[in-house]
Amino acid sequence: MNATALRGYDDLRPLLSLMTGDEKHDPASISTLDAIWVLYDRVLRVSPATADAQDRDWFLLSKGHGPSAYYAVLTAKGFLDPADLAGFGGIDSALGHHPDRTLLPGVEISSGSLGHGLPIGLGVALGLKAQGLGSQVWVLVGDAELGEGSNHEAIALAGALGLDNLHVVVVDNRSDTHGWPGGIAARFVVEGWAAEEVDGRDHGLLAAAYTREHGGQPLVVVAHVESKK
Amino acid sequence: MRNRFVETTADLLDHDPRLAVVLAEITAAAFEPVAARHPDRVINVGIREQLLISAAGGLALTGLRPIVHTISSFLIERPFEQIKLDLNHLDVGAVLVGVGASYDVAAGGRTHQSPGDVALLDTLPGWTVHVPGHADEAEALLRHAAADGDSRVYLRLSTQVNAAARPVAPGRFATVRTGRAAVVLAVGPMLDPVLAATEGLDVTVLYASTVRPFDDAGLRAAVGAASAEIVLVEPYLAGTSVPQVARALAAAPHRTLALGVRHEELRRYGTPDDHARLHGLDPAGLRAAISAFLPVHAG
């Protein structure tokens, strides 16, 4: 395989296999695959050539646990070299079980401890606005990750500020032990966010939700996928 | 020092478009005039200290230099994982400016005291820690920190101050008094009590307004002219800088007496002076401890 040939969604599973050695991937390990793919394929204005450009869009993987789907998409889009995937987690590899932004091109944050990406993303969104930049910020979190209270500090402030360059994708595989009575989207809506709920495997619906108008409000897209349980 | 911090920061924001201020309600009212001038660069996140640090990390990722401020206990201890990950691990810079150091808020009790702040930051690599003893020093160190690239700086402001400002050269200890029996290192607001406590003693007094990086060479030079009897007097947890002293003097036989805030919770209110006395950091307490430590001929 070479980098230029790996452009399509159908190439993601072979790329995942380079990391895991498996031909099959259980749904939980790739719960984020479609949500991330559609962002990089249809929404984010960023490429390997513009990974450090001031006016790029930003994607922050907050749910840094299980990053193989993320690495596969970055590889398909040319940020990473497929030859590096086989070393996943090894002592000489830059691809850890949680990503390190200082080791990988195109990776905006180092993550792994839950509940950091959204608060950081809020700071990025404010920093871009303060510099007059129109770039958009996207943060991916998991449904169980929302248990971390730090997320709710950011949800409240982003809503209060009407931070409309901030977007959150919640990949919901119902992995939170206690669940979210009233729904995840409601937690955002009550703070003033625009919200969409979609099938997290349907690329057309994901793209439509990602690109909807939400002037003056931050946007959350809850992407429902197969239950982990 | 807090007023000087606000005035200096306002001036810095007017002249450096890279700087931003992040607040968590504390001191927000005093920043209202500068916030009116720079609404995009003065951000009050509310009572949300995890967000305070993480948002600063995000601002820094976009190229800004955040000045982050609240009470030290809520700036360093409460969001410590955010400092570890969203500043250090992200490899971005910030200037953290704390007020209410150690027992400034004595009557507030343990919830508002954080004498372990410097020791906690010592678990992370690469932090510069300034402990000014006077508002003039705080201003000079803040201006230095704001212009110091993408470094990670903790500026530890206190209501405990020395009567006179000392010239500050960030990262360098200053010799205030010379003697032969010992080297007493006074950190920030501890200088005046140390000078009073060592009156008439044949000791060198060094003054530190920057404790990290630790001025190893400065300590070695002072020891070269005096006995290798070291007395550390720190306004935070006793013994915080003992590893630095051990490293600086690894090649020389030496003894160290470490004075500072004691580990045990006092569970007392009162005033900062009360707490200084109870921790043995008032002139009388320091004098007794130092005299007991020194060889008998030193006095």
Side-chain angles (χ1 to χ4, degrees):
Chain A
M1 285 192 274
N2 62 67
T4 53
L6 297 166
R7 293 261 171 83
Y9 179 78
D10 291 342
D11 294 309
L12 295 177
R13 279 174 171 76
L15 289 169
L16 282 164
S17 296
L18 291 175
M19 280 173 273
T20 61
D22 298 331
E23 292 303 320
K24 291 183 176 179
H25 307 283
D26 71 274
S29 74
I30 57 167
S31 64
T32 60
L33 187 68
D34 297 274
I36 298 175
W37 170 256
V38 174
L39 271 177
Y40 274 90
D41 197 49
R42 305 198 195 179
V43 179
L44 297 172
R45 293 171 304 142
V46 64
S47 69
T50 63
D52 295 316
Q54 208 182 21
D55 62 351
R56 71 184 182 279
D57 286 341
W58 294 58
F59 174 73
L60 282 59
L61 181 73
S62 185
K63 195 193 85 67
H65 183 71
S68 51
Y70 180 43
Y71 293 156
V73 172
L74 287 176
T75 306
K77 290 298 179 184
F79 292 90
L80 303 179
D81 185 336
D84 293 333
L85 297 181
F88 181 51
I91 188 64
D92 294 318
S93 176
L95 280 68
H97 292 179
H98 304 105
D100 183 334
R101 82 169 191 99
T102 70
L103 301 178
L104 294 170
V107 171
E108 301 284 11
I109 62 166
S110 310
S111 56
S113 180
L114 298 174
H116 288 260
L118 176 46
I120 295 169
L122 180 146
V124 171
L126 287 172
L128 295 171
K129 277 189 182 277
Q131 295 171 82
L133 297 167
S135 306
Q136 304 296 307
V137 183
W138 290 82
V139 182
L140 187 144
V141 304
D143 64 299
E145 180 180 9
L146 283 177
E148 297 287 0
S150 51
N151 291 303
H152 300 272
E153 295 186 5
I155 291 167
L157 184 64
L161 296 177
L163 204 54
D164 58 7
N165 60 343
L166 180 63
H167 312 72
V168 169
V169 183
V170 182
V171 173
D172 182 6
N173 64 353
R174 284 161 283 163
S175 55
D176 186 275
T177 295
H178 301 290
W180 295 98
I184 288 170
R187 312 294 166 132
F188 289 80
V189 169
V190 75
E191 299 289 1
W193 289 58
E196 292 285 334
E197 298 212 44
V198 294
D199 177 346
R201 298 299 185 195
D202 187 315
H203 294 189
L205 292 176
L206 281 167
Y210 289 163
T211 55
R212 65 156 274 185
E213 287 294 317
H214 58 97
Q217 292 178 297
L219 172 68
V220 62
V221 175
V222 181
H224 297 284
V225 298
E226 308 79 8
S227 173
K228 185 182 178 185
K229 294 161 186 167
Chain B
M1 282 191 197
R2 191 190 322 209
N3 291 340
R4 188 73 68 88
F5 159 60
V6 175
E7 294 163 12
T8 304
T9 301
D11 181 58
L12 286 166
L13 251 68
D14 287 344
H15 294 96
D16 186 349
R18 192 180 172 226
L19 296 174
V21 175
V22 195
L23 306 167
E25 294 298 353
I26 302 300
T27 320
F31 272 104
E32 279 175 8
V34 65
R37 292 201 298 279
H38 307 288
D40 289 340
R41 291 191 290 131
V42 178
I43 299 151
N44 177 8
V45 302
I47 303 291
R48 298 183 175 91
E49 287 89 5
Q50 297 181 78
L51 180 59
L52 176 75
I53 301 295
S54 300
L59 288 164
L61 281 174
T62 71
L64 297 176
R65 182 152 177 77
I67 297 173
V68 189
H69 168 72
T70 187
I71 298 171
S72 285
S73 45
F74 312 129
L75 180 68
I76 304 296
E77 296 183 320
R78 184 178 182 116
F80 185 69
E81 191 189 78
Q82 278 71 19
I83 294 175
K84 168 190 159 191
L85 296 180
D86 303 344
L87 297 177
N88 270 86
H89 187 48
L90 285 188
D91 195 24
V92 294
V95 181
L96 307 186
V97 181
V99 290
S102 289
Y103 43 71
D104 280 4
V105 194
R110 175 63 176 167
T111 58
H112 285 59
Q113 297 165 10
S114 59
D117 52 355
V118 178
L120 199 47
L121 280 181
D122 273 344
T123 65
L124 300 176
W127 278 87
T128 294
V129 179
H130 298 307
V131 187
H134 188 280
D136 290 355
E137 299 169 19
E139 175 173 346
L141 292 165
L142 175 59
R143 290 185 182 280
H144 181 271
D148 193 19
D150 291 317
S151 59
R152 286 179 283 275
V153 181
Y154 176 39
L155 179 61
R156 189 182 198 271
L157 305 184
S158 178
T159 55
Q160 316 302 300
V161 293
N162 302 313
R166 301 273 164 179
V168 292
R172 303 284 298 280
F173 298 159
T175 304
V176 178
R177 186 184 282 171
T178 57
R180 290 163 295 177
V183 175
V184 183
L185 179 64
V187 175
M190 289 292 100
L191 181 60
D192 278 1
V194 162
L195 289 176
T198 58
E199 190 65 46
L201 298 182
D202 183 21
V203 299
T204 289
V205 175
L206 289 184
Y207 176 58
S209 54
T210 301
V211 291
R212 303 288 181 275
F214 195 81
D215 185 3
D216 290 23
L219 181 64
R220 277 196 295 270
V223 166
S227 298
E229 312 278 345
I230 311 301
V231 181
L232 263 178
V233 185
E234 302 182 274
Y236 35 81
L237 212 55
T240 299
S241 294
V242 166
Q244 283 69 26
V245 172
R247 181 192 63 208
L249 302 179
H254 62 279
R255 292 196 307 144
T256 304
L257 171 66
L259 303 175
V261 178
R262 292 170 181 160
H263 278 71
E264 296 74 16
E265 263 197 70
L266 287 181
R267 295 190 187 279
R268 299 284 293 276
Y269 297 102
T271 67
D273 283 348
D274 292 328
H275 283 241
R277 187 179 72 255
L278 292 169
H279 288 295
L281 296 176
D282 62 326
L286 292 170
R287 176 92 181 188
I290 293 169
S291 297
F293 174 73
L294 292 184
V296 287
H297 60 269

